[in-house]
């Protein structure tokens, strides 16, 4: 009969977990202990038997009664064998036996007979019965071992000589046995030599070099032939449990990084799914079976590797060390940092591979970690993932986990966790297209249309063309725009739900600036139904006075982003937001609020350039005048950005040249301290600030001031160069930034010119120095001619 027993597959071998191996080891150790215990018991019984044989003495009885005595001795031996040893009895039982030993009735009673205790003694009792009824001493003391000495011979015969030796109890015997075994083991093991610190360092370097070479050999073998050397991947992963305390930390770090790079190289560009039962039952080719085994082994080892990284991070977070571990608690922080770095690399490099969602669940909570290094690593990894995610699957998974984290921790997270939403790769164009534009342009004809309009040969050709086009569409391997639109819509819905929760329940939390900044970026994508409520909430936040200046600017920017997108159809007057910005412009200065000017420039662009039809002339004149005054109080890059915005004002709105004419008059007097831009009578003033800015030390500010004085022309002698005229104000603000504490652009170095005539004092000093030099040279030549060359050499040096 053919043997049907199959060789265990590689998958089955991988299922042998560490717990099973530990159980096998424990069973083996238990068997060894049981065998040793059994051997000790046998030795103990043997010692007791020898001891009894030596201590037992023959009793002098009559020769005629030898047989009966033999029977009684046999019975006595049986009773002694049945009796328990004294060292195995409890103290209470031993005390009871001692008390009963004092009573003659208990000792003299013949236990084999059924007669009462107080029966009268018979006169014809035999000598053996009398001997049996003699009270016997209880063995309350430990037996004495007899040592046989040389006998003495005299006239009467040979007299044996013995000496008593105290017998140790069983516990002491066992202790002696264990001590003897330990001594034997110690004797077998050679004592370790004592090494000097230099020798220990050299030995450590040698071990570390051996481990490095082994890691390199395994890694190169795996990368050269991943299909055939998948077992070496398991061997390399086993080195994560390095037990040598001298090199354990470094080896584990090296193995972590090596495995991370190996998985990045050998992982396929698709997700490996588990095989179904039907697929496992079907027969396949050897190449297919080999590929399946490789994929199963790769997924299994990748899973074990991720579990090991996760356990390393958990052990460090919980500040606990396993008893069997040889790594100190301080070293766990370095291991955890390397583990987090490996997870971040895998998060970015393998977004399509298995267990990517598990990595997201591990990385996202670490963005809120107390360790700055770990939180920054996770933040940068998520940012890279958002920027390179073209499809949107990974972004959706990260956004879901972040939303759950913020809600689960009751909004007690770091603001950077929400600021990562700003790096989402979601464009306005993709979300504003209609369903007709998203639908595929190519529409195939139905069977009825073909039958009606085409001939038989034409239908045959059309069928072949449509089949070819379908195959080409499938070969493109690109996600359809409709699926991408759905993913982006779902992602933004989760983002907005998170933002609205914080606006509703946690307005005083430190997350509010990040929420307002996110709303300012994605506000034009919000559903129109929420516009009224959201504008009311934003205005209430500004009116409450509890926001910082930067947060209030974000509120204004969010409101105008809402109104500049789908909110154009709404009849909403945002006059209160214009008034608030006009009132708070002078809060900016050349100190800490200089960076807030970038947000102000964005607000001005949305409020005026994109809503030019809804802005009155009085409002534009008031902002132009106040911005020109503000340009005198800020840093040069801010002045350049503000003057660029004024240039857009003068080119966008008509009659702005009123502020350049001193003779123009209107009704009323200009009120610079009034907070209402519509009623401050800005048409009755002039832009005298431009004459001061024309004398500014920064050359770019001078160019813009001179350009605005002549009316900001687009052509002619007063026009700006292309590099200044075509760049927006926010870009100019960043381009001329002075964060490096240097002039931007740098100041050209000027070589000082030599004066043609010296003053009288300078000429006198030069003449005196020349006289002293000539006198010194002459003395040197006369007195020390040999050293003259040295003096010349020193002078030349």
């Amino acid at each position: 009969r053919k043997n049907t027993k199959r060789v265990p597959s590689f998958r089955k071998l991988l299922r042998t977990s560490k717990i099973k191996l530990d159980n096998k080891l424990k069973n083996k150790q238990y068997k060894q202990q049981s065998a040793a215990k059994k051997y000790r018991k046998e030795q103990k019984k043997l010692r007791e038997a020898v001891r009894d044989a030596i201590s037992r003495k023959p009793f002098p009885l009559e020769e005629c009664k030898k047989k009966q005595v033999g029977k009684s001795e046999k019975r006595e031996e049986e009773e002694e064998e049945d009796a328990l040893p004294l060292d195995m009895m409890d103290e209470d039982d031993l005390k009871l036996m001692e008390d009963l030993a004092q009573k003659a009735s208990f000792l003299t009673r013949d236990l084999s007979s059924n007669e009462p205790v107080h029966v009268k003694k018979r006169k014809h009792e035999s000598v053996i019965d009398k001997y049996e009824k003699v009270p016997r001493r209880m063995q309350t003391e430990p037996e004495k071992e007899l040592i046989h000495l040389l006998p003495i011979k005299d006239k009467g015969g040979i007299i044996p000589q013995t000496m008593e030796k105290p017998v140790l109890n069983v516990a002491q015997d066992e202790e002696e046995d264990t001590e003897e075994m330990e001594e034997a083991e110690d004797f077998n093991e050679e004592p370790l030599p004592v090494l000097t610190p230099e020798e220990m360092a050299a030995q450590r370097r040698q071990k570390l070099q051996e481990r490095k070479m082994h890691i390199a050999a395994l890694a190169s073998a795996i990368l050269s032939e991943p299909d055939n050397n998948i077992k070496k991947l398991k061997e390399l992963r086993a080195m994560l449990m390095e037990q040598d305390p001298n090199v354990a930390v470094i080896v584990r770090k090296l193995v972590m990084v090596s495995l991370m790079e190996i998985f990045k190289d050998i992982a396929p560009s698709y997700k490996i799914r588990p095989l179904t039962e039907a697929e496992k039952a079907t027969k396949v080719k050897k190449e297919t079976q080999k590929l399946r085994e490789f994929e199963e082994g790769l997924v299994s080892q990748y899973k074990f590797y991720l579990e090991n990284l996760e356990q390393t991070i958990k052990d460090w977070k919980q500040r606990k060390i396993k008893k069997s571990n040889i790594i100190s608690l301080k070293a766990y922080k370095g291991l955890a940092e390397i583990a987090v770095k490996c997870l971040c690399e895998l998060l970015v490099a393998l977004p399509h591979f298995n267990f990517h969602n598990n990595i997201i669940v591990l990385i996202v909570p670490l963005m809120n970690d107390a360790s700055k290094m770990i939180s920054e690593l996770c933040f940068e990894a998520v940012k890279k993932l958002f920027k390179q995610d073209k499809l949107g699957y990974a972004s959706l998974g990260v956004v879901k986990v972040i939303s759950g984290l913020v809600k689960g921790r009751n909004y007690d997270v770091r603001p950077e966790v929400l600021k990562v939403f700003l790096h989402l790769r979601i464009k306005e164009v993709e979300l504003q297209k209609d369903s007709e534009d998203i639908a595929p342009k190519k529409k195939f004809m139905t069977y009825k249309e073909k039958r009606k309009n085409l001939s038989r040969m034409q239908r045959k050709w059309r069928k072949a063309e449509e089949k070819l086009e379908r195959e080409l569409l499938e070969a493109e391997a690109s996600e359809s725009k409709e699926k991408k639109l759905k993913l982006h819509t779902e992602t933004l819905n989760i983002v907005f739900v998170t933002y609205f929760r914080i606006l509703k329940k946690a307005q005083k939390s430190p997350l509010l600036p990040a929420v307002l900044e996110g709303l300012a970026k994605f506000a034009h994508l919000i559903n129109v139904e929420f516009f009224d409520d959201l504008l009311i909430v934003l205005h209430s936040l500004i009116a409450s006075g509890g926001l910082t200046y930067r947060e209030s600017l974000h509120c204004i920017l969010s409101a105008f982003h809402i109104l500049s997108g789908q909110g154009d159809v709404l009849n909403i007057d945002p006059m209160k937001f214009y008034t608030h910005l006009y009132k708070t412009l002078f809060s900016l200065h050349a100190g800490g609020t200089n960076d807030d000017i970038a947000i102000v420039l964005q607000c001005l662009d949305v409020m005026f350039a994109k809503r030019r039809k809804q802005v009155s002339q009085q409002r534009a004149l008031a902002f132009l005048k106040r911005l020109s005054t503000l340009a005198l109080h800020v840093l040069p890059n801010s002045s350049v950005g503000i003057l660029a915005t004024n240039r857009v004002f003068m080119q966008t709105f008509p009659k702005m040249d009123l502020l350049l004419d001193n003779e123009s008059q209107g009704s009323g007097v200009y009120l610079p301290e009034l907070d209402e831009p519509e009623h401050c009578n800005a048409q009755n003033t002039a832009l005298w600030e431009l004459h001061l800015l024309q004398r500014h030390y920064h050359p770019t500010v001078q160019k813009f001031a001179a350009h605005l004085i002549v009316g900001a022309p687009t052509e002619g002698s007063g026009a700006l160069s292309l590099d200044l005229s075509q760049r927006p104000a926010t870009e100019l603000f960043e381009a001329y930034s002075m964060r490096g504490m240097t002039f931007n652009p740098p100041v050209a170095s000027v070589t000082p010119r030599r004066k043609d005539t010296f003053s009288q004092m300078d000429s006198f000093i030069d003449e005196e120095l020349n006289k002293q030099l000539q006198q010194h040279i002459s003395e040197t030549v006369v007195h020390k001619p040999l050293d003259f060359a040295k003096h010349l050499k020193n002078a030349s040096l």
Side-chain angles (χ1 to χ4, degrees), residues 67 133 168 194 216 218 264 271 290 341 391 433 453 502 509 558 566 578 652 668 723 752:
K67 294 182 179 180
K133 292 180 180 180
L168 299 175
V194 180
L218 291 174
K264 285 168 60 177
K271 185 175 181 180
K290 186 177 180 180
K341 187 175 181 180
L391 304 180
K433 286 186 176 181
N453 300 325
I502 296 173
S509 71
S558 302
Q566 303 176 31
Y578 282 100
T652 303
D723 60 333

Side-chain angles (χ1 to χ4, degrees), residues 26-42:
K26 289 179 181 178
N27 292 335
K28 186 176 180 180
Q29 293 175 354
Y30 177 74
K31 289 180 179 179
Q32 292 177 356
Q33 293 174 0
S34 300
K37 188 174 180 182
K38 185 177 180 181
Y39 176 75
R40 286 198 299 269
K41 286 183 178 181
E42 291 177 354

Side-chain angles (χ1 to χ4, degrees), residues 755 757-770:
K755 295 183 178 180
T757 58
F758 295 95
S759 62
Q760 186 178 1
M761 182 63 69
D762 292 336
S763 61
F764 176 78
I765 292 173
D766 290 340
E767 290 176 359
E768 289 293 324
L769 289 174
N770 289 329

Side-chain angles (χ1 to χ4, degrees), residues 8 56 69 103 211 213 249 750 757:
R56 187 175 295 127
V69 173
K103 299 179 182 180
R211 301 296 195 282
M213 294 300 294
V249 178
V750 180
T757 58

Side-chain angles (χ1 to χ4, degrees), residues 674-693:
L674 190 66
D675 294 335
E676 295 292 336
E678 298 283 349
H679 309 290
C680 66
N681 300 323
Q683 71 275 5
N684 295 324
T685 184
L687 295 178
W688 53 266
E689 295 87 358
L690 296 179
H691 292 278
L692 295 177
L693 292 171

